[in-house]
């Protein structure tokens, strides 16, 4: 099967391909086979991309979709308040069907806004049924997903058998693959970190962990001293981590995922975007959680760009596009398959409306996407060559019953937890004497 995207403004994110205006992209059996100014393919299905920006789909390498039902309730929360609310108050009441509903709607939301690849950082660990519900939801959403299993989150419990069980069930999967969510040195012992890294290497899994520092801690240095830095690990946030430690991550080939909106709103400190670049890292961007912030990569890029430009002015708009496409794909170990419009890669492509009045006229496509882009521009989305959104509407998805299911999930959990849904819920972290 062939598909021809024709007449669009192609922003390939591949220096060897460059940008084309106009340009055509030919897809065969889900794979990009040619990118050129004009392509003759009389036997291909034609998608007219005139008035559209054609670019690789976004890659979000850190999002907790199980929290989707509580969208917006944490807009005013600090991180300690969020932790009390989501992990201490609502999580104990989650049933597998709640995990499924939140994960499915969260993944569809991301897809709707142009996120073709998403790493779902799962830490609502309760039972095997909860984990299986999350995996089932990712399979039922027509996107490319990485199920990052944070098994045993908040506990010192052994998780080897659990990781192996889920890995076995995902062996050979196409669009849904797996990573291991590490319990980092702030949450567990170095022996546990070492054991989980060894297991990940055995199973061929990349790893991801949340990490930060108050300026007195040296978590990255401690990991290096124990020989536990890997080029297959993504460090999430890293606020407060010293420049020296960021260079340690660069030397190890590790990656960093920055969630600028959450970090700034919840009091994590300034995002490390610019410092990571200076240390030799290619930072990536992620949404994190939608109870507190929006779920699209456009606003994420804009926040990261504005904050860093306000500090040193060295960042360029195309850098932000790279952070959310090819660099993020590389952090997931998927850069050979996605992240740029390159012949030989899977056709994970989005078409953005360049004729919309909020961005018209488009003079510099990359700059326009970063400075003024929004989910309303996402006209068409392809994942591995399959059209999953067309003319602004998700294909073959009946949203009404899924929305009702998510509302019922939210209301049941709120009732069980005894929390109001009228905007007055303000969790109070425990205070130390």
């Amino acid at each position: 099967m062939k598909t021809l995207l024709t007449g669009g403004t192609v922003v390939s994110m591949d220096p060897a391909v460059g940008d084309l205006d106009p340009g055509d992209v030919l897809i065969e059996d889900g794979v990009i086979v040619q990118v050129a100014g004009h392509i003759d393919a009389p036997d291909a299905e034609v998608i007219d991309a005139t008035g559209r920006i054609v670019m690789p789909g976004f890659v979000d390498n850190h999002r907790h979709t199980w929290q989707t039902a509580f969208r917006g309730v944490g807009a005013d929360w600090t991180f300690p308040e969020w932790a009390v609310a989501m992990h201490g108050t609502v999580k104990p009441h989650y049933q597998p069907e709640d995990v499924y509903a939140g994960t499915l709607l969260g993944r569809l939301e991301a897809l709707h806004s142009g996120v073709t690849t998403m790493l779902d950082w799962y830490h609502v660990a309760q039972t095997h049924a909860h984990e299986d519900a999350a995996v089932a939801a990712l399979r039922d959403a027509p996107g490319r997903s990485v199920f990052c299993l944070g098994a045993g989150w908040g506990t010192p419990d052994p998780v080897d058998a659990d990781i192996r069980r889920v890995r076995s069930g995902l062996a050979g999967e196409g669009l849904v693959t797996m990573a291991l969510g590490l319990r980092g040195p702030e949450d567990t012992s170095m022996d546990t970190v070492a054991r989980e890294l060894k297991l990940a290497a055995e199973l061929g899994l990349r790893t991801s962990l949340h990490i930060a520092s108050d300026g007195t801690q040296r978590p990255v240095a401690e990991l290096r001293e124990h020989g536990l830095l890997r080029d297959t690990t993504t460090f999430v946030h890293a606020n407060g981590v010293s420049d020296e430690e960021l260079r340690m991550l660069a030397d190890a080939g590790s990656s960093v995922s920055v969630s600028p909106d959450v970090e700034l709103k919840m009091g994590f400190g300034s995002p490390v975007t610019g410092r990571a670049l200076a240390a030799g890292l290619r930072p990536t961007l992620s949404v994190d959680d939608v109870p507190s912030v929006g779920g699209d990569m456009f606003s994420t890029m804009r926040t990261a760009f504005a904050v860093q430009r306000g500090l040193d002015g060295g960042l360029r708009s195309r850098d932000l596009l790279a952070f959310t496409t090819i660099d993020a794909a590389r952090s997931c170990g998927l850069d050979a398959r996605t992240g740029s419009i390159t012949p030989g890669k899977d056709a994970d492509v989005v078409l953005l409306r360049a004729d919309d009045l909020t961005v018209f006229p488009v003079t510099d496509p990359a700059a326009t996407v970063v400075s003024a882009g929004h989910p309303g521009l996402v006209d068409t989305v392809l994942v591995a060559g399959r059209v999953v959104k067309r003319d602004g509407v998700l294909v073959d998805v009946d949203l009404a019953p899924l929305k009702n299911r998510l509302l019922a999930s939210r209301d049941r959990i709120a009732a069980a937890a005894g929390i109001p849904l009228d905007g007055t819920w303000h969790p109070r972290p425990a205070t130390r004497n």
Side-chain angles (χ1 to χ4, degrees):
M1 177 180 174
K2 293 182 181 180
T3 303
L4 180 65
L5 311 178
T6 182
T9 299
V10 178
V11 179
S12 72
M13 301 310 295
D14 180 343
V17 174
D19 295 350
L20 301 169
D21 186 15
D24 292 356
V25 179
L26 181 62
I27 301 162
E28 186 171 355
D29 296 329
V31 176
I32 299 165
V33 295
Q34 188 179 357
V35 185
H38 177 73
I39 298 172
D40 288 317
D43 55 343
E45 174 194 359
V46 174
I47 296 178
D48 186 1
T50 304
R52 304 289 184 265
I53 297 170
V54 181
M55 60 171 282
F58 292 115
V59 179
D60 180 349
N61 63 1
H62 163 235
R63 188 183 302 213
H64 308 291
T65 57
W66 64 270
Q67 303 173 30
T68 303
F70 288 89
R71 181 187 307 279
V73 300
D76 300 325
W77 292 346
T78 64
F79 176 71
E81 290 167 339
W82 170 86
V84 167
M86 299 311 299
H87 284 283
T89 306
V90 305
K91 185 168 78 171
H93 299 284
Y94 264 71
Q95 299 299 320
E97 57 266 28
D98 303 311
V99 174
Y100 178 88
T103 301
L104 179 56
L105 263 293
R107 184 64 189 99
L108 289 174
E109 172 212 356
L111 201 59
H112 182 63
S113 64
V115 178
T116 52
T117 299
M118 190 194 76
L119 183 143
D120 187 10
W121 220 114
Y122 171 95
H123 57 4
V124 61
Q126 305 277 2
T127 67
H128 289 169
H130 288 73
E131 297 165 353
D132 294 343
V135 172
L138 295 177
R139 283 173 165 155
D140 288 346
R144 190 182 304 278
S145 300
V146 180
F147 180 60
C148 184
L149 177 54
W153 178 263
T155 77
D157 300 340
V159 296
D160 298 40
D162 203 14
I163 299 293
R164 292 181 186 278
R165 185 191 73 85
V166 176
R167 178 70 179 91
S168 176
L170 281 172
E173 280 287 334
L175 289 179
V176 181
T177 54
M178 185 179 172
L180 195 161
L182 294 172
R183 294 171 287 183
E186 298 162 319
D187 303 310
T188 189
S189 69
M190 286 292 176
D191 287 344
T192 299
V193 177
R195 186 173 66 247
E196 292 183 356
L197 282 170
K198 181 179 179 181
L199 178 63
E202 177 192 336
L203 299 178
L205 301 177
R206 298 184 71 87
T207 57
S208 177
L209 80 156
H210 300 78
I211 201 163
S213 172
D214 63 3
T216 63
Q217 304 154 320
R218 289 173 55 79
V220 174
E222 290 179 30
L223 287 167
R224 190 181 72 162
E225 289 167 8
H226 287 80
L228 299 177
L229 294 184
R230 300 286 186 275
D231 62 3
T232 52
T233 300
T234 297
F235 288 79
V236 178
H237 303 312
N239 305 84
V241 170
S242 68
D243 292 347
E244 178 193 9
E245 288 180 290
L246 290 175
R247 288 192 292 272
M248 293 177 189
L249 295 182
D251 291 343
S254 304
S255 56
V256 172
S257 179
V258 178
S259 308
D261 291 290
V262 161
E263 293 165 11
L264 290 164
K265 289 180 68 175
M266 287 192 181
F268 286 28
S270 183
V272 300
T273 315
R275 293 198 299 118
L277 276 172
L281 290 159
R282 290 294 298 177
T284 62
L285 301 181
S286 59
V287 164
D288 198 347
D289 75 269
V290 298
S292 302
V293 302
D296 67 276
M297 299 303 288
F298 298 100
S299 58
T300 301
M301 287 191 295
R302 199 147 46 243
T303 299
F305 195 25
V307 170
Q308 190 56 44
R309 284 294 294 247
L311 291 174
D312 63 21
L315 212 55
R316 308 294 293 180
S317 54
R318 193 170 289 265
D319 291 326
L320 277 297
L321 277 188
F323 298 164
T324 55
T325 55
I326 186 61
D327 292 331
R330 188 174 298 113
S331 77
C332 293
L334 293 171
D335 53 306
R337 300 188 65 179
T338 190
S340 64
I341 298 179
T342 301
K345 288 191 178 184
D346 289 357
D348 294 352
V349 181
V350 298
L351 276 61
L352 308 180
R353 296 188 63 94
D355 56 0
D356 189 276
L357 285 180
T358 59
V359 295
F360 184 86
V362 173
T363 304
D364 183 329
T368 299
V369 171
V370 173
S371 65
H374 56 84
L377 302 179
V378 181
D379 178 82
T380 302
V381 178
L382 296 88
V383 178
R386 174 188 173 189
V387 176
V388 299
K389 183 178 182 180
R390 190 190 300 271
D391 298 327
V393 178
L394 290 172
V395 175
D396 297 328
V397 176
D398 188 356
L399 285 175
L402 297 179
K403 289 179 177 179
N404 290 336
R405 187 171 178 177
L406 189 69
L407 287 174
S409 169
R410 181 201 65 184
D411 293 349
R412 185 197 65 76
I413 294 169
I419 56 176
L421 291 174
D422 58 2
T424 61
W425 181 27
H426 199 82
R428 299 295 180 186
T431 57
R432 295 180 178 178
N433 294 327

